[in-house]
Amino acid sequence: MSVSETGLSFGSIRMRGAPANHTLVLVDGVEARGGGEAFILSGMGIGEVERLEILRGPQSVFFGSRASAGVVNIITRRSTEPGTGGEIRAMVGDGYDASAFAYARGAQGGVSLSYGARDDHGYDASGKGGEKDGSRRRSLTLSGDWQATETLRFGLTQSQARETYGYDNSDYLATGEADYMQDIRDLNSKRDERIGQVFAEFDTLDGRLTHRLSYERSRYAQDFPGDFPVQMLGVTRALKYRASLSLDGVEVEAANHLLNIMAEQIRWSESATGIAAQEKSTDSVALEYRGFYGNGLDVQAGIRRDNNKGFRDFTSWNLGLSKDFGNGLRLHASAGAGMTNPTFTELFGYPGWSVGNPDLSPEVNRSIDIGLAAETADGRGQVDVTLFREKLTDMISSGSCATGFCSVNVAGDTVRRGVEIAGSYALRDNFSLRGSYSYIDVDQSDGARAVYIPRHEAVLGASYQHGQGTVGADLRHVAGVYAPQGWVGGTTAELPDFTTLDLYGDYALNDRVKLVARVENVFDTETKEAWGYGWRGRSAQIGFSTNW
């Protein structure tokens, strides 16, 4: 998984070299960006996040068409233990980052509330040493659940974030990198992100058949000033039902053989300055089997049928298995197929930059991977090696139409193949190492270079704990990244390889108060991730966390 950044508040996530809009990003299981465009990574505060869940490869059967390359699910903090409590975190450096979390839980349910505030002074996105392009973000998340009866449970999640960030204009008539980004003062964009979910869960047949009905809504609004002022709005509404049936006569949570039956109705609405609101919809049914056979063999298989309005219907599928041999070795493999519809800007263009192409075909991704995980005899170390191959048909890329610059389908198949290695080893009880490496080779059918995808990316980390304190370091190396030259007539250019070092540490003053600090890019290395843009140099923060 790679992340490329064009400015402080505009990052894109790509899974195994796939386009950014092929990775579905969720917050608490709800689509993070309304409307169907690629998710923009702009920095949720760490104090708001409980954990991340990541699935690689086509996951369309369970998560829908947007998950043709993978899924990232951001789980926000919430209460699980009875009682009341909370936490406050704050860090200062080149700006500040603060969060507050509080919860209350009783016998029949609970409620959680988290608030985040960040003011990042940023850096000059033009790379010309001009004014810093910073960001200011505020977010609020409310979640709760209520066990109405022994078999009926209700729940809700509501989240809202508002962000204002500075950026510099790009000159598409430039003839070189030095002239592409223009350092402009007081150029700011605003985002308004809202997601919500209400659900009901009902147990029948003594817990052997469970039902879940949910309604989800995501809304994303953004406006850009500049030479071509643009306002964009995207809304996604989804009604989802899932029935889970235990096939072996026990409760669903304890079942070794589980059948999921799903039905979904999803509606997307998108509009932009000068472009009327456009509607898309998908009605889907899916069937999924999960089996745990007790001899180390786990199997998952599923099939989904999407009836699409405006595009052809599609049947997605996936198959996964894991075999634990009991001697520290585990074999795992998966395969699947998923489809991603063209985005709003691909179909209708971006005002002032590109024209639409309503004749675009959806992209179809087919994937297979196989891997082996091994654990040392003493249990102190483990390593996992995975080989993958993905084939993308009708890939959408930038091109030329009769009326101007637009998105086009690339004829033939684009093949992505690579290897992923991850491992860790505890040298001592208080000293551990971890590392990962990925290699991705992309063969586009049009012969062009794949952009924003590192051919090589490696991370080596270490952490050491002594008494009440912990220190750690991460060394990251990125090589073989190409990026599009943004000016008219530009092709692609290779970006400089880079290696960065990050340091972090914490010290517990007592059971409730902890000091924290981190330094990113210690050696102030040039870390360019996009052509024509500047990069963030060394940054440091120090702060504390306290809980009650």
Side-chain angles (χ1 to χ4, degrees), residues 210-224:
T210 64
H211 311 264
R212 190 178 198 277
L213 179 66
S214 66
Y215 175 76
E216 303 168 2
R217 185 179 186 272
S218 307
R219 181 185 184 274
Y220 180 91
Q222 182 160 9
D223 69 89
F224 294 95

Side-chain angles (χ1 to χ4, degrees), residues 5-27:
E5 184 179 271
T6 54
L8 176 67
S9 296
F10 210 99
S12 299
I13 298 174
R14 291 174 171 82
M15 194 87 70
R16 288 179 171 173
N21 64 306
H22 290 209
T23 297
L24 177 63
V25 179
L26 308 171
V27 175

Side-chain angles (χ1 to χ4, degrees), residues 8-9 118-124 131-136 163-167 187-189:
L8 176 67
S9 296
R118 189 192 69 213
D119 192 343
D120 191 333
H121 295 171
Y123 60 95
D124 176 26
E131 68 156 352
K132 291 183 176 181
D133 300 299
S135 71
R136 184 176 183 271
E163 182 176 359
T164 300
Y165 67 93
Y167 69 100
L187 201 55
N188 294 283
S189 178

Side-chain angles (χ1 to χ4, degrees), residues 509-548:
L509 297 177
N510 51 50
D511 291 341
R512 296 192 179 278
V513 181
K514 180 185 293 185
L515 300 180
V516 293
R518 66 171 181 259
V519 183
E520 298 180 356
N521 195 1
V522 172
F523 298 114
D524 204 22
T525 304
E526 176 182 330
T527 57
K528 186 174 291 187
E529 296 179 339
W531 183 88
Y533 285 83
W535 64 93
R536 185 165 207 157
R538 179 174 48 246
S539 64
Q541 288 187 315
I542 187 170
F544 74 95
S545 66
T546 180
N547 63 79
W548 66 90

